[in-house]
Amino acid sequence: MKRLRWPSWLPIDPYIVVLLGTVGLAALLPARGTAADVTSGASTAAIAFLFFLYGARLSTREALDGLKHWRLHVTVLICTFVLFPVFGLAARGLVPVLLTQPLYQGLLFLTLVPSTIQSSIAFTSIARGNVPAAICAGSFSSLVGIVLTPLLAAGLLGGDAVGFSTDSLVKIVLQLLVPFLAGQVLRRWIGGFVTRHKRVLGLVDRGSILLVVYTAFSEGMNQGIWHQVSLVRLAGLLGVEAVLLAVMLLLTWYGARALGFDREDRIAIQFAGSKKSLASGLPMASVLFAGHASLAVLPLMLFHQMQLMVCAVIAKRRARDPEASADASEGGTDASGGSGETTAEGSAAHPVQGQPQDRVLR
């Protein structure tokens, strides 16, 4: 029996529809009382397991090889944790004309979140870029962000906006970094299993995000904070985020060219340096913003969906570039420098690599 597939002619990723449905479910049937405690604990465990899988997927050899491209990784980190926050701070001038103070705080928080892992790799693979570099860049960004994002949030948002403390930092490290390192340690024994069951375990990725979204928005409904956001404000937020994404896509592409990176590296820099991770941002926001996390993560959720749709279009166009066709025809190698077999079957380090025909769900 053939698997049911989302119609290719529909421009919206099915996961976006599911995310919106999860928000709607939280609005109609928010978790309260004991159910809220259960969903909160389950979402924490799910995210920890998600980062455990990240650790189990990342090959130590590829991580060490990625260190050779230190200029590329430094460039991605600067885009993620310097340029993005600068633009976030500049958006302060849009309050209160275009944005409310809570929406601005959420927008600034999104600029502090680390880059994505899975979608950066997928888009880089589609565009025939440097896939191993994208794997390492996304992973390094996530690891650095576990510590740097809470520190930046405390410094730029202030103690009144976020509940930053040593305990909150320890909680984030225990939820994200420790499971990742555990996955790295156990990769020797479970790496093959993770690779063989990548499609099934991929449901954990998406399910974890949905559970955290439901928990965060349930808390928002219980506290009645949604009356603070009007359709006009939401439209203004979307406009600001569209400009932010466009600016970062242009800076990462042309800035990387000015720095002397070749085409394959520029692709990895553009996709890893212009995106923000929902998987990392949601659990951090739930710790730092507590009961106000639902409003704080709204800009991140909107930006996440926008970046997926825009980058999917860009990746397909990059794959059709004459320069990409010329690279692909030389020696039968793929853009990551590996063999055609690697591209067709994917990488043991990550299930998305080598599967450009699948829709990107994260």
Side-chain angles (χ1 to χ4, degrees):
M1 230 178 137
K2 293 183 178 180
R3 282 193 310 132
L4 293 176
R5 292 183 177 273
W6 188 261
S8 58
W9 51 269
L10 286 178
I12 301 178
D13 192 290
Y15 193 55
I16 298 175
V17 177
V18 177
L19 270 174
L20 294 175
T22 303
V23 174
L25 178 63
L28 296 174
L29 297 172
R32 293 189 173 93
T34 304
D37 295 335
V38 172
T39 56
S40 178
S43 64
T44 299
I47 290 295
F49 185 56
L50 173 62
F51 273 78
F52 173 80
L53 291 179
Y54 283 164
R57 290 167 180 168
L58 179 63
S59 167
T60 305
R61 177 184 58 80
E62 285 185 321
L64 294 176
D65 290 343
L67 293 176
K68 300 176 183 178
H69 300 285
W70 63 269
R71 288 183 62 245
L72 184 149
H73 301 312
V74 169
T75 301
V76 171
L77 290 175
I78 289 175
C79 291
T80 304
F81 296 113
V82 178
L83 294 182
F84 256 114
V86 167
F87 291 126
L89 290 172
R92 179 68 179 83
L94 302 176
V95 181
V97 178
L98 201 58
L99 301 174
T100 63
Q101 183 64 23
L103 286 180
Y104 166 71
Q105 290 177 345
L107 179 67
L108 181 56
F109 175 72
L110 105 78
T111 65
L112 310 178
V113 170
S115 178
T116 62
I117 300 177
Q118 199 161 340
S119 58
S120 295
I121 299 168
F123 289 134
T124 301
S125 177
I126 293 171
R128 301 178 183 177
N130 190 337
V131 176
I135 293 173
C136 295
S139 300
F140 293 160
S141 177
S142 293
L143 292 177
V144 171
I146 289 173
V147 176
L148 192 56
T149 296
L151 294 176
L152 289 174
L156 299 181
L157 287 169
D160 294 335
V162 298
F164 178 81
S165 64
T166 303
D167 290 340
S168 64
L169 181 59
V170 170
K171 189 174 181 180
I172 291 172
V173 169
L174 290 176
Q175 187 177 1
L176 306 182
L177 180 59
V178 171
F180 181 91
L181 295 178
Q184 276 283 283
V185 171
L186 296 177
R187 173 179 165 75
R188 177 181 177 182
W189 296 277
I190 66 173
F193 176 84
V194 170
T195 301
R196 289 192 302 272
H197 297 83
K198 56 190 177 183
R199 291 188 181 277
V200 175
L201 294 176
L203 297 175
V204 176
D205 293 23
R206 299 184 286 276
S208 300
I209 300 300
L210 295 177
L211 187 56
V212 176
V213 168
Y214 176 76
T215 302
F217 278 83
S218 291
E219 292 177 355
M221 290 300 299
N222 292 334
Q223 296 192 9
I225 64 173
W226 290 109
H227 66 276
Q228 303 176 22
V229 184
S230 65
L231 291 178
V232 175
R233 296 294 188 182
L234 282 178
L237 176 62
L238 284 172
V240 172
E241 292 189 338
V243 172
L244 176 62
L245 178 59
V247 169
M248 289 306 302
L249 286 169
L250 291 173
L251 281 178
T252 50
W253 182 253
Y254 292 104
R257 174 181 292 177
L259 292 173
F261 289 100
D262 61 23
R263 178 186 178 278
E264 296 173 0
D265 287 346
R266 292 201 306 271
I267 289 173
I269 290 172
Q270 183 177 51
F271 290 128
S274 64
K275 296 205 299 304
K276 293 294 183 176
S277 173
L278 198 62
S280 298
L282 284 177
M284 290 181 185
S286 65
V287 173
L288 296 175
F289 291 94
H292 300 287
S294 54
L295 197 56
V297 302
L298 181 61
L300 177 59
M301 281 190 58
L302 296 176
F303 188 83
H304 182 265
Q305 314 316 321
M306 187 183 299
Q307 72 187 11
L308 288 184
M309 291 185 284
V310 173
C311 289
V313 174
I314 293 176
K316 292 177 181 178
R317 290 187 177 180
R318 293 266 184 263
R320 294 194 297 265
D321 287 346
E323 189 177 354
S325 301
D327 292 341
S329 64
E330 292 180 1
T333 58
D334 63 17
S336 65
S339 65
E341 181 181 359
T342 301
T343 303
E345 295 182 2
S347 166
H350 205 287
V352 179
Q353 181 180 347
Q355 297 179 28
Q357 74 277 13
D358 291 339
R359 282 187 177 271
V360 180
L361 299 181
R362 283 272 331 292

